Amino acid sequence: MNSELATAVILDIEKIRKDFPLLQTKVYGKPLVYLDNAATTQKPFMVLQALDDYYARYNSNVHRGVHYLSQQATEAYEVARRKVAAYINALHEHEIIFTKGTTNSINLVASSFGRKFLKPGDEVLISAMEHHSNIVPWQMICEEKGAILKVIPINDQGELRMERFDELLTDKVKIVAVTYVSNSLGTVNPVQEIIQKAHAAGIPVLLDCAQAIQHIPVNIQELDADFLAFSGHKIYGPTGIGVLYGKERWLDEMPPYEGGGDMIKNVTFAKTTYNELPFKFEAGTPDIAGSIVLGVAIDYIQKTGLAAIRQTEEDVLNYAYNRLAAIPSLRFIGNARQRSGAISFLVGNIHPFDMGELLDKQSIAVRTGHHCTQPVMDFFKIPGTVRASFAFYNTRPEVDALVKGIEKARQMLD
Ligand code: PMP
């Protein structure tokens, strides 16, 4: 635990919960227990009001207008970029590209970096616990370029086998792309070590931060990752907006991903010259409202304090882990030493879908299935898991409700 965490306070959760209108909802007449935060988080009033405010007061297209509203929208859009840059401590604001989400950010890098730098026989190194969005875009570009996708395996605890990483990191590897935190196992990967080793071999690293950015302070200059991707909707912001951070030197060298308005400097039928960063990678009208409101979600996190958020989440996560461990015939899928956010499990012979449905009837929202990580399910030889995933607004009584719900399902099904 770092010193910032040691001094962080546990948040007043009842007060926090009042910030989130959806948490007051009832499902089947009972208070909602929302434990599907790894899929998407709920939104505080501040964020909802900012969305309303944008469309009600200054909705206008950015970058192209001289009129008052367009200038206001442009200014707010660029302020949001500044907030994201400050949140991850990027060196330059123009290293922040607004995208549609993590998936879109990774596709951008795979396609653009791949087109420029991958040759037949080159390798791309990912891990066995990646979300499909950090597998398939690399498979597609590898197929196109005749490159080879290599995979760092995992062990039975759901941790990366780092001794295999060392062996796989040959001079054929042109990029390493790994997740910081696994969405299906909750494993926190040793990304510092991965980045240091890859850089020692002159290889850039992309970090999928979809499950890290809302839980763990990410200081990109300290981490020194070359690319970082995350989604707004998992960090209390809206859907449809996401971020790609890329180091200036890579983004400068990479070709545009999409062509269209805003990403150009000059267009003739003979030749087009491209705009500077970040606009080179933001073709067309962006999600102006989404970007601005993502900035407000970051304000909310900073107002609350990420250290306090983390401490509060660790408390509820440990409590959940201990209470679930006491349920007979429950087995955890993923037992990593470093964990965050999500707990995956199976109970006896109960199919995860059946467990999910019975919990739903008790107004408990969990996710069941492969969580877009089918290779993880294949590794453990299971059809899927039940996943409870936590945010700082989850409480111990909600964990108690989950445990009670599982016990009830066990009595009925196991
Ligand atoms: N990576 C990880 C680790 C994720 O958890 C997710 C979302 N479940 C994604 C990528 C994809 O995010 P999005 O669907 O928001 O693009």
Side-chain angles (χ1 to χ4, degrees):
M1 186 182 284
N2 64 30
S3 57
E4 191 194 358
L5 263 187
T7 54
V9 284
I10 300 268
L11 296 165
D12 177 349
I13 304 181
E14 286 317 314
K15 189 158 162 269
I16 289 280
R17 288 178 71 85
K18 295 204 174 86
D19 292 341
F20 292 82
L22 203 135
L23 296 181
Q24 324 308 323
T25 303
K26 289 196 167 158
V27 172
Y28 309 122
K30 278 179 276 174
L32 166 70
V33 175
Y34 186 75
L35 299 175
D36 195 18
N37 294 286
T40 199
T41 54
Q42 299 308 339
K43 322 300 172 199
F45 272 117
M46 236 172 97
V47 161
L48 301 173
Q49 274 161 5
L51 197 59
D52 204 43
D53 201 40
Y54 168 75
Y55 282 116
R57 288 202 316 109
Y58 60 104
N59 170 46
S60 184
N61 212 333
V62 290
H63 296 146
R64 288 183 283 262
V66 290
H67 64 81
Y68 179 77
L69 284 188
S70 176
Q71 286 182 23
Q72 259 199 318
T74 303
E75 170 63 13
Y77 182 70
E78 292 307 324
V79 165
R81 196 189 308 279
R82 242 169 272 154
K83 286 180 188 174
V84 174
Y87 186 62
I88 62 167
N89 193 31
L91 188 58
H92 305 295
E93 279 162 37
H94 58 253
E95 294 176 317
I96 305 298
I97 314 290
F98 284 121
T99 65
K100 288 189 282 186
T102 310
T103 304
N104 188 217
S105 298
I106 297 173
N107 272 279
L108 189 164
V109 178
S111 170
S112 172
F113 181 97
R115 271 189 286 147
K116 173 92 184 193
F117 294 108
L118 288 182
K119 297 184 307 301
D122 284 346
E123 292 177 1
V124 170
L125 186 55
I126 62 169
S127 92
M129 67 170 82
E130 297 311 312
H131 189 278
H132 295 163
S133 63
N134 202 24
I135 301 174
V136 184
W138 297 111
Q139 273 175 333
M140 287 161 64
I141 193 72
C142 281
E143 198 177 310
E144 199 180 311
K145 294 300 231 166
I148 301 153
L149 191 67
K150 291 281 176 97
V151 183
I152 312 162
I154 55 175
N155 63 23
D156 290 341
Q157 265 57 54
E159 295 168 321
L160 292 182
R161 287 180 51 194
M162 290 301 284
E163 81 288 356
R164 292 287 295 130
F165 171 66
D166 293 343
E167 291 161 14
L168 286 162
L169 199 66
T170 66
D171 58 8
K172 286 194 174 154
V173 176
K174 291 293 169 294
I175 188 163
V176 176
V178 288
T179 193
Y180 197 152
V181 176
S182 154
N183 66 308
S184 55
L185 301 167
T187 310
V188 180
N189 285 322
V191 292
Q192 287 89 346
E193 184 185 339
I194 290 172
I195 294 164
Q196 274 162 19
K197 285 183 170 164
H199 282 181
I203 303 164
V205 177
L206 176 142
L207 279 191
D208 174 349
C209 285
Q211 300 294 344
I213 199 77
Q214 64 283 56
H215 302 300
I216 300 174
V218 174
N219 181 333
I220 192 65
Q221 288 189 64
E222 235 170 69
L223 273 177
D224 203 27
D226 300 271
F227 302 100
L228 176 157
F230 70 89
S231 302
H233 69 96
K234 294 184 200 276
I235 183 172
Y236 315 106
T239 52
I241 186 71
V243 168
L244 170 67
Y245 159 87
K247 270 190 194 160
E248 183 184 57
R249 65 160 278 225
W250 290 115
L251 294 180
D252 268 342
E253 281 191 66
M254 283 158 49
Y257 175 50
E258 293 176 321
D262 248 20
M263 54 73 74
I264 53 89
K265 219 174 219 144
N266 199 42
V267 178
T268 68
F269 288 119
K271 188 172 169 55
T272 291
T273 50
Y274 303 129
N275 208 340
E276 61 210 21
L277 294 176
F279 312 112
K280 179 171 111 179
F281 290 104
E282 291 181 355
T285 299
D287 184 351
I288 305 164
S291 316
I292 295 170
V293 175
L294 171 60
V296 175
I298 289 174
D299 290 342
Y300 182 83
I301 288 176
Q302 290 189 323
K303 176 171 86 79
T304 311
L306 191 55
I309 286 176
R310 194 171 171 200
Q311 182 107 328
T312 307
E313 287 174 345
E314 275 187 12
D315 178 71
V316 79
L317 197 69
N318 289 338
Y319 180 74
Y321 201 72
N322 290 333
R323 288 235 45 203
L324 291 170
I327 296 177
S329 78
L330 183 145
R331 93 185 142 105
F332 292 110
I333 307 299
N335 262 310
R337 281 156 293 176
Q338 303 291 329
R339 319 175 47 96
S340 175
I343 301 180
S344 261
F345 58 87
L346 287 172
V347 181
N349 291 322
I350 304 174
H351 194 283
F353 290 133
D354 295 336
M355 176 62 82
E357 274 192 23
L358 279 177
L359 290 175
D360 172 60
K361 294 293 170 293
Q362 297 169 72
S363 71
I364 301 166
V366 293
R367 188 144 294 242
T368 59
H370 54 61
H371 317 294
C372 296
T373 56
Q374 278 183 2
V376 171
M377 304 303 133
D378 292 346
F379 175 81
F380 286 103
K381 299 187 175 53
I382 52 177
T385 75
V386 182
R387 182 186 72 184
S389 56
F390 299 87
F392 62 101
Y393 44 60
N394 288 125
T395 63
R396 288 183 175 213
E398 287 184 313
V399 173
D400 296 337
L402 171 68
V403 170
K404 207 168 141 202
I406 295 170
E407 286 292 7
K408 198 163 166 189
R410 265 187 70 220
Q411 280 157 22
M412 290 172 70
L413 295 175
D414 195 20

